[in-house]
Amino acid sequence: MSDDPNTGPGPWHAGERELQARIGAAERMADLGSRVIRRFLLDQHRAFYAQLPFIVAGSVDAEGDAWATLLCGQPGFLAAPTDDALHMRLPPDNGDPARSGMLAGDPVGLLGIELHTRRRNRLNGRLAALGEDQMAVAVEESFGNCPQYIQLRDYAFVRDPQQVSTGAVETAATLDAEARRTITAADTFFVASYADPDKGVRRVDVSHRGGKAGFVRVDADATLTIPDFAGNKFFSTLGNILTNGKAGLVFASFETGDLLQLSGDAELVHDASKVATFEGAERFWRFRTRRMVRRRDALPLRWVMREDGWSPKALATGDWETAAASASMQPAPRP
């Protein structure tokens, strides 16, 4: 691993490097990573975080389970007073399982994303307490992401984000019927993952996933199968999954403010025949829920899809019905 002062401990850990090597991109990504992954925020990113009404966060609880969540506030609840730190005012905690892994000293993954512009920036680091409801994140990794697969949505606040939600908090060990409907209707979710690479320094990451509505399949045994589309070849999420097989997913209802948070086990799927039948997929991964938390009205924000809001990249991808039909027309293997 590199000791370049601009990249920190990295830029890539063993799981990321292995997946990059599988597609013949290891040498190119080694050079790219040392240039684009920084231990500081560019001025444009410092300004970007200050204008956001929410941020996506990934954390790891005491049991080693990954969780993803959305933290909201009026623009200005995030601030970067220096280029190596991001300060954030935490909203009230209404049963958010991710918050147990967001204490002073804990590693955290953050994703700043504007659904109404498709801009996004990833920031991974470590937390320090600033006050009763404020934390500082020491920047360990910062890098931009392309706008692919993000649907354009405009937002509005429906209440003060510092007001405690009175919505119910429901927990379960697996998916119920409502959770299945939420997942199969979604065109967007966020995934948290982590690795304990060289020198034992834990790195947490959280990222966006988007596609056509229904791009996540839920099987009868409650296993989620998710296509992985062409991206930046960083393999931050899949490299972490390859390393430790843990992930946390969050599905937000943009209409009601409900959050569905899942934590469980993930694995990569190596099946060339499946990839060939799903347009745009380069591989698949599976996720099995061990813990489910549904928080009603958790978000003070609501989003509305624009008329022209669908990502062209998402619309160019396949769907499970077409993939199943295509697979059924494939010639049977020879005995």
Side-chain angles (χ1 to χ4, degrees):
M1 301 183 75
S2 167
D3 291 323
D4 187 317
N6 289 326
T7 62
W12 314 117
H13 63 65
E16 295 162 333
R17 292 195 299 269
E18 179 175 336
L19 292 177
Q20 291 162 0
R22 289 184 188 179
I23 63 169
E27 184 175 347
R28 178 164 64 89
M29 296 307 295
D31 174 66
L32 180 66
S34 65
R35 289 187 285 110
V36 302
I37 298 180
R38 309 173 180 88
R39 293 201 73 174
F40 61 90
L41 292 169
L42 298 173
D43 287 345
Q44 63 177 314
H45 294 143
R46 294 172 67 184
F48 173 65
Y49 282 108
Q51 68 192 30
L52 295 177
F54 80 99
I55 194 166
V56 187
S59 66
V60 182
D61 67 18
E63 288 73 43
D65 287 334
W67 293 97
T69 191
L70 275 64
L71 305 173
C72 303
Q74 291 288 351
F77 87 106
L78 302 168
T82 61
D83 66 2
D84 60 356
L86 181 73
H87 293 182
M88 58 182 176
R89 183 183 182 189
L90 295 175
D93 178 6
N94 178 38
D96 186 350
R99 294 286 285 272
S100 67
M102 296 179 63
L103 305 176
D106 288 339
V108 67
L110 299 176
L111 170 65
I113 183 169
E114 284 185 332
L115 299 183
H116 62 288
T117 67
R118 295 194 174 111
R119 289 184 65 193
R120 55 178 164 165
N121 177 262
R122 302 261 276 280
L123 190 164
N124 304 330
R126 194 163 298 273
L127 292 166
L130 286 176
E132 184 177 349
D133 63 348
Q134 296 189 61
M135 301 292 285
V137 184
V139 179
E140 294 177 354
E141 295 180 320
S142 173
F143 52 98
N145 274 166
C146 59
Q148 298 184 99
Y149 313 108
I150 300 174
Q151 328 309 344
L152 285 173
R153 287 180 161 94
D154 294 314
Y155 76 89
F157 282 96
V158 296
R159 66 170 183 273
D160 182 345
Q162 288 301 311
Q163 176 184 335
V164 179
S165 170
T166 58
V169 178
E170 304 158 10
T171 62
T174 188
L175 303 178
D176 59 17
E178 182 179 349
R180 289 170 179 265
R181 290 193 296 270
T182 297
I183 294 166
T184 55
D187 60 65
T188 300
F189 74 93
F190 302 96
V191 52
S193 60
Y194 71 98
D196 297 316
D198 301 356
K199 302 178 184 177
V201 180
R202 175 167 291 173
R203 294 161 63 182
V204 182
D205 181 82
V206 68
S207 67
H208 165 275
R209 290 292 187 273
K212 291 179 180 176
F215 77 108
V216 181
R217 189 181 75 194
V218 183
D219 295 324
D221 65 353
T223 298
L224 278 56
T225 303
I226 304 157
D228 187 61
F229 303 128
N232 54 21
K233 299 180 177 59
F234 285 15
F235 294 119
S236 303
T237 298
L238 297 189
N240 287 346
I241 289 173
L242 185 65
T243 298
N244 74 3
K246 300 286 185 68
L249 281 53
V250 61
F251 294 81
S253 171
F254 298 116
E255 296 79 21
T256 69
D258 291 359
L259 280 185
L260 178 67
Q261 294 167 268
L262 312 175
S263 188
D265 304 309
E267 63 176 350
L268 305 190
V269 178
H270 307 289
D271 190 334
S273 64
K274 282 188 173 62
V275 171
T277 61
F278 200 109
E279 186 69 29
E282 296 191 337
R283 62 197 59 81
F284 293 91
W285 55 286
R286 292 195 184 104
F287 175 86
R288 182 182 292 275
T289 301
R290 283 187 287 100
R291 300 165 66 185
M292 182 193 90
V293 178
R294 182 189 293 109
R295 296 193 291 136
R296 306 282 186 183
D297 191 31
L299 302 176
L301 290 165
R302 302 292 185 270
W303 288 263
V304 176
M305 175 89 86
R306 294 184 184 173
E307 287 188 12
D308 61 347
W310 281 101
S311 161
K313 283 284 190 179
L315 291 178
T317 61
D319 59 77
W320 287 107
E321 183 177 354
T322 303
S326 178
S328 68
M329 291 187 289
Q330 297 294 319
R334 295 182 179 181

